[in-house]
Every structure is written in structure tokens, then in C-alpha cells.
């Protein structure tokens, strides 16, 4: 509980929502099922939803990211039941998701889409009672869009990940800071002067590259999208294919949301002592299966697996799972960042409760007013004021008749 309270003091936006929820009880009697990383910030989201009157059932969205002490504390919060356990095997992981689904949720909050996938494949009898859902991360939104394209998604889901107040802060700054913290605290190696390869120059990748540059690393970016590759180049980084980067990098960080980004042919080209970490959602970006089947695992300790490949030793952090949460000391994103993401989640859950029945099945954007409300609340918490458009400026921006 101390961890949860520690986080709470740096979550003013979610805190204000909690106060409002306590008064207005907008989720009274609503059953909410969640699969998110079970740690202190998430606990504050669950408590906020419960303060709004919801009955919350929660489990993890990754077998290695649960903090067991937080999971236990969550069970002590009125209106919240937690089923997550650190180190759960695949069967236990899905059993816990099933337990969440047994609560017959009307709203589902997912991170990576495993919960919604389970609902649509193994627990279809429950779909009709779901009003709608929210998805937290890029990979989950990709999966949801693929489902919607094939007309398989049976209820509306808000893509919380895609809204500016989420990805400009959570993906960029959150992943950037917390992944580097995780790598540094696990390995204790110096970043300054190192050649660090960042795979993917999306929201997470550009945050990582920027922070690495700030620490004095020589950053190499790999991409498959020409525009993003060019952006990385003009932001001052070297751009090259992974085949070439493999031989140069001393640290590798994948953040593509894709599969097989670092694979057998890359491992064999790597320098002795290369360190590999994944910051993308699933453990498929680095081909761990190939390493386990074909390389010699020489040691496993404290979140570092060391393998012998082609006469050299390479080190993989957190079994290739998202490094900022899955290393033994992983705490995930900094608290202030999750204050914004989870404020969005809480407000979107309230929106779905009141408007979800009128929304078409499919992927929906976060309503603009919610995104703006969160931004304004954060500015207010920081005691920062900004300018307001004058009526003349407002009219100018709306007109098409004024030119030179
Ligand atoms: P994004 O879509 O903005 O960026 C991904 C980039 O990777 C794109 O530019 C894409 O062109 C590139 N890419 C795809 N395949 C590639 C390949 N084979 N080689 C090189 N580049 C490739 O996505 P975003 O928001 O940056 O998210 C990336 C991943 O990180 C997702 O899996 C997301 O769910 C996850 N994520 C992880 C967080 C964490 O806490 N570690 C937090 C937020 C997101």
C-alpha cells in the first residue's frame, strides 16, 4: 500500500478525477475487467474506478510485469479483486484472464489486447454484456484494427494509445526514460560513448533515441518506413539496416511492435558482450526462441540471460520481454506519465458507460474534449498558464478570405 500511496502523490490529474468520481459515482454498479501491468500506478487507476462505484476485476497483461506486493494490496481495496501473479506460466496467465472475465465485465480495459482476444475466441458467450473497451498500447490497437478490418470486433473500443495526451508523453518520454533506467540498473554499464542501436523510430523509438543522445550515446536507428528513417536521419542519427547495425551495436533496443527484428543472422554478427533489450509490447522482437534452441545459454541471473553465439557472448535482458517492466527491478513508466495515461483511461471508461451503447463496434478515437481536459488539468497542476485566442485570432483561423 505504501508503494501505491507513493505513486498517488505524483498523480494529481488522476487524483482530481478520483475526487470527482467519489462525489458523482459515475460508474456505480458497473463491472470493469482489466488486463494491465499490475504495479503501483495501475493500482491507482483501479482505485479511481472503484471510487466511481465500479466493481473492478484486474489481472496482468504480461507474465513478468506484475508486482506481487501491489497485487496483494489491490485485494485490500474495496471494490477491487486482483488475480495477477508475477512469473505466471502461459496457462496461469490465461486462467487469470478467465477469472477476470468470469466477473462478466461491461467495460474492458486492455493493454496489448489479450483480454479482448480471449473474449472473442474462448468466451464469446460474454460478448453481449460488454458495452465497450479501452486499449492502452500501440500493439493492442494494431490487433484491434486488424480485427475490425475483418469485421470480427464486436463492440466499440477506444484507442487510448493513439491520442496525443497518451503517445506524446507515455510512449515518447515514458518508454524513453524507463527503458533506459531499466537497462542501466540491470547492467550497470556506461551509456556515454556507446553505440546504441534503436530499432523503430516511432513514438517510443524517438523518445529512446533522444534520451540516449542526451546521455552521450552514439545512436543508430533502423527502420522500414522511409519517412521515419529520414526523420531519424535529420534528427541527427545514423540510419542503416539491421544487417549492418548488428556488427556495430554495443546495446540494442527494439521498439517496433513487430516480430523477428533481431534474428539468427544478426546474432552471429554481433560483438562480444552485446546487450539486447526489447521495449516493444511482446517478446517477439528479438528471436529468443532461436537463441533458446540453437545457442548455449551460459548463465541466467537478475534479468540477464547470456548466450554463446558464434564464439561470442551476447546478453538478453528480461527474456526479451518489455524491459522497463519485466526486469526484476522494473517499475515501468515514471509516475507522472502514467497520471496522464490513466486519467485518459478513467475518463474514457466513464464515457463508454454513458455513450457506449450508441457507439458502433470498431476502433474509436478518444473524444477530443477528454484529451483536452487532461492537458488542461495537467497544466493547472503544474501551475502553468497559457494564452487564449482573441476573438479576432479565432475568426482569422476560421476564415478563408484573408490572404496577403
Ligand atoms: P509506432 O508505430 O509509432 O512505431 C513503430 C516503428 O517501428 C514504426 O516507425 C515502424 O515503421 C517501425 N518498424 C516496424 N517494423 C520494423 C522493423 N522490422 N525494423 C525496424 N523498424 C520497424 O509504435 P510505438 O508507439 O512506438 O510502439 C512501439 C511498440 O512499443 C509497440 O509494441 C507498443 O505497444 C510498445 N509500447 C511499449 C511501451 C513500454 O512500456 N515499453 C509503452 C508504449 C508502447
Amino acid at each position: 500500500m505504501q508503494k501505491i500511496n507513493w505513486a498517488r502523490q505524483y498523480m494529481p490529474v488522476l487524483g482530481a478525477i478520483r475526487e470527482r468520481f467519489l462525489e458523482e459515482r459515475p460508474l456505480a454498479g458497473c463491472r470493469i475487467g482489466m488486463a494491465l501491468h499490475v504495479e503501483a500506478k495501475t493500482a491507482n487507476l483501479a482505485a479511481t474506478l472503484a471510487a466511481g462505484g465500479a466493481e473492478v476485476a484486474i489481472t496482468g497483461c504480461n507474465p513478468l510485469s506484475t508486482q506481487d506486493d501491489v497485487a496483494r494490496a489491490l485485494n485490500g481495496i474495496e471494490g477491487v479483486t486482483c488475480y495477477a501473479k508475477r512469473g505466471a506460466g502461459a496457462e496461469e496467465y490465461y486462467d487469470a484472464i478467465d477469472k477476470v472475465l468470469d466477473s462478466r465485465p461491461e467495460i474492458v480495459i486492455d493493454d496489448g489486447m489479450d483480454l479482448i482476444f480471449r473474449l472473442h475466441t474462448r468466451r464469446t458467450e460474454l460478448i453481449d454484456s460488454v458495452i465497450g473497451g479501452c486499449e492502452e498500447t500501440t500493439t493492442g490497437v494494431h490487433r484491434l484494427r486488424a480485427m475490425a478490418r475483418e469485421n470480427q470486433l464486436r463492440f466499440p473500443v477506444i484507442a487510448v494509445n493513439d491520442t496525443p495526451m497518451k503517445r506524446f508523453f507515455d510512449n515518447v518520454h515514458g518508454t524513453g526514460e524507463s527503458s533506459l533506467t531499466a537497462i542501466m540498473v540491470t547492467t550497470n554499464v556506461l551509456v556515454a560513448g556507446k553505440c546504441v542501436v534503436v530499432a523503430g523510430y516511432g513514438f517510443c523509438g524517438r523518445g529512446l533515441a533522444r534520451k540516449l543522445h542526451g546521455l552521450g550515446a552514439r545512436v543508430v536507428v533502423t527502420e522500414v518506413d522511409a519517412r521515419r528513417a529520414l526523420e531519424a536521419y535529420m534528427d541527427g542519427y545514423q540510419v542503416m539496416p539491421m544487417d549492418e547495425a548488428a556488427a556495430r551495436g554495443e546495446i540494442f533496443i527494439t521498439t517496433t511492435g513487430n516480430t523477428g527484428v533481431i534474428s539468427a543472422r544478426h546474432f552471429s554478427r554481433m560483438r562480444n558482450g552485446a546487450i539486447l533489450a526489447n521495449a516493444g509490447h511482446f517478446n517477439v522482437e528479438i528471436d529468443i526462441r532461436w537463441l533458446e534452441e540453437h545457442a548455449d545459454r551460459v548463465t541466467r541471473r537478475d534479468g540477464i540471460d547470456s548466450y554463446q553465439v558464434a564464439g561470442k557472448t551476447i546478453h538478453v535482458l528480461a527474456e526479451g520481454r518489455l524491459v522497463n517492466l519485466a526486469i526484476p527491478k522494473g517499475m515501468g513508466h515514471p509516475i507522472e506519465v502514467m497520471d496522464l495515461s490513466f486519467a485518459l483511461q478513467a475518463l474514457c471508461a466513464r464515457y463508454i458507460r454513458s455513450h457506449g451503447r450508441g457507439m458502433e463496434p470498431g476502433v474509436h478515437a478518444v473524444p477530443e474534449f477528454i484529451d483536452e481536459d487532461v492537458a488542461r488539468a495537467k497544466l493547472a497542476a503544474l501551475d502553468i498558464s497559457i494564452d487564449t485566442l482573441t476573438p479576432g485570432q479565432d475568426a482569422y483561423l476560421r476564415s478563408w478570405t484573408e490572404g496577403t
Side-chain angles (χ1 to χ4, degrees), residues 102-140:
D102 288 343
S103 71
R104 293 177 300 111
E106 296 159 275
I107 295 175
V108 285
I109 301 182
D110 214 344
D111 186 336
M113 216 205 80
D114 281 348
L115 184 72
I116 294 176
F117 178 75
R118 192 76 170 178
L119 255 173
H120 282 77
T121 49
R122 300 281 185 88
R123 305 298 302 271
T124 49
E125 79 283 3
L126 298 170
I127 288 184
D128 286 343
S129 54
V130 178
I131 305 172
C134 299
E135 170 55 55
E136 172 73 6
T137 198
T138 313
T139 286

Side-chain angles (χ1 to χ4, degrees), residues 137-139 142 166 170-171 175 200-205 222-225 228 255-258 261 279-281 285 322 324-325 333:
T137 198
T138 313
T139 286
H142 284 168
K166 198 292 185 167
D170 177 313
N171 301 33
T175 309
Y201 201 68
F203 287 90
C204 297
T222 71
E223 250 299 342
V224 291
D225 180 308
R228 288 196 161 168
T255 170
T256 67
N258 208 341
V261 178
H281 189 77
E285 305 211 12
L322 74 183
N324 52 336
L325 284 141
H333 286 1

Side-chain angles (χ1 to χ4, degrees), residues 1-8 11 14 34-48 58-75 77 80 82-86 111 136 170 178 322-339 341-342 345:
M1 206 62 202
Q2 278 178 344
K3 268 190 185 172
I4 299 174
N5 289 338
W6 172 261
R8 180 169 296 173
M11 300 183 91
L14 190 66
M34 299 163 72
L36 295 178
H37 301 291
V38 173
E39 44 77 45
K41 286 93 70 185
T42 311
N44 278 292
L45 171 61
T48 300
I58 179 170
T59 184
C61 64
N62 182 300
L64 287 188
S65 65
T66 295
Q67 294 183 11
D68 288 330
D69 49 354
V70 173
R72 273 192 303 277
L74 267 169
N75 279 315
I77 296 175
V80 182
C82 180
Y83 299 103
K85 185 178 145 220
R86 188 179 182 91
D111 186 336
E136 172 73 6
D170 177 313
S178 63
L322 74 183
V323 68
N324 52 336
L325 284 141
I327 58 152
K329 288 186 182 147
M331 288 188 296
H333 286 1
I335 300 168
E336 293 89 334
V337 160
M338 295 319 293
D339 185 28
S341 303
F342 287 159
Q345 288 286 7

